[in-house]
Amino acid sequence: MNIQDSIIFFMEILGTIAFAASGAMVGIRKRMDIFGICVLGVVTAVGGGMTRDVILGKLPSALEKPVYVGVSVATALAIFILLYIKQDLLSGRLGTFYDKAMLGMDSVGLGIFTSLGVMSGIDNGYPDNTFLLVFIGMLTGVGGGLMRDMMVGEEPYIFVKHIYACASLVGGICCVWLYRSIGRLPAVFIAAFVVMAIRFLAAHFRWNLPHPKTLS
């Protein structure tokens, strides 16, 4: 494994941890048991990537390399144990920690997986199909969170709050353009940063897409 592959692998693990943690946090808030929390963590972390791989006609990497599932389970278990021991961690003044943690973890995972999704499309023989690459990048980024929200019976986060899917869309476009301009690794890092920056700015300034006025 060369240096570039090692960096990409590290980013994959970081994104997996971030998304698995966000899934586990949702499971804890929904008062699921330890199994449900682990399942939600795994689905959030690898669901988008598995769907991407099926569309690309290849064996899902999460099944080919079970390290991603293992990391997801370990992350979910770690969060469960922490909150099982300190049950008041999300109560009182620390209650705001949940929203900030979810924002941070979702943003990191979204940025990393959007970029890596684009690269997966390129590696599977579609470097010139811009639409497919951006779509695959978005699917990798938002797919797991969409499955998570549907499994717990909530409105999908990507449709209602803080420029979520649109941040992934912008990041995917940036990743494709940067890859063709300056190469693979810079494109992955810069596009992931763009997605995270948009998410954090949207949360800070309360940016949301227009909603229809409530009908009386």
Side-chain angles (χ1 to χ4, degrees):
M1 184 181 291
N2 58 38
I3 294 178
Q4 180 170 287
D5 289 339
S6 298
I7 293 173
I8 295 296
F9 178 72
F10 173 78
M11 292 185 70
E12 287 178 328
I13 294 299
L14 182 61
T16 300
I17 292 172
F19 266 170
S22 75
M25 293 285 284
V26 171
I28 289 169
R29 182 167 60 83
K30 290 291 186 177
R31 303 186 66 82
M32 291 183 173
D33 61 20
I34 187 171
F35 180 76
I37 290 167
C38 288
V39 168
L40 213 58
V42 171
V43 168
T44 308
V46 306
M50 291 183 71
T51 307
R52 171 203 68 208
D53 291 341
V54 169
I55 290 176
L56 293 174
K58 62 187 290 284
L59 179 68
S61 56
L63 301 179
E64 190 176 15
K65 301 175 182 176
V67 62
Y68 303 111
V69 175
V71 169
S72 302
V73 172
T75 301
L77 284 174
I79 291 178
F80 172 83
I81 292 170
L82 173 64
L83 295 179
Y84 186 82
I85 295 172
K86 292 185 65 67
Q87 298 181 9
D88 62 340
L89 190 60
L90 297 182
S91 62
R93 289 185 299 175
L94 290 177
T96 56
F97 169 79
Y98 176 85
D99 289 332
K100 292 180 179 179
M102 284 292 293
L103 171 66
M105 291 180 295
D106 256 2
S107 299
V108 170
L110 182 66
I112 290 175
F113 279 136
T114 296
S115 295
L116 296 180
V118 171
M119 292 303 137
S120 182
I122 291 170
D123 293 342
N124 280 274
Y126 303 97
D128 300 321
N129 191 331
T130 301
F131 178 80
L132 175 65
L133 294 178
V134 174
F135 173 79
I136 288 295
M138 285 185 63
L139 178 62
T140 308
V142 308
L146 178 61
M147 293 179 187
R148 173 197 67 204
D149 294 342
M150 292 174 66
M151 287 176 70
V152 299
E154 289 189 346
E155 278 187 307
Y157 192 81
I158 66 172
F159 297 145
V160 296
K161 207 169 185 181
H162 294 328
I163 319 293
Y164 194 90
C166 289
S168 181
L169 173 63
V170 173
I173 293 171
C174 287
C175 192
V176 173
W177 180 76
L178 290 168
Y179 170 79
R180 294 170 180 169
S181 303
I182 59 177
R184 181 186 186 94
L185 208 55
V188 169
F189 276 104
I190 295 173
F193 175 79
V194 167
V195 174
M196 288 184 272
I198 292 173
R199 288 281 294 120
F200 288 131
L201 288 171
H204 179 74
F205 292 106
R206 301 184 182 279
W207 295 339
N208 285 296
L209 295 177
H211 288 246
K213 292 182 179 180
T214 303
L215 298 177
S216 56

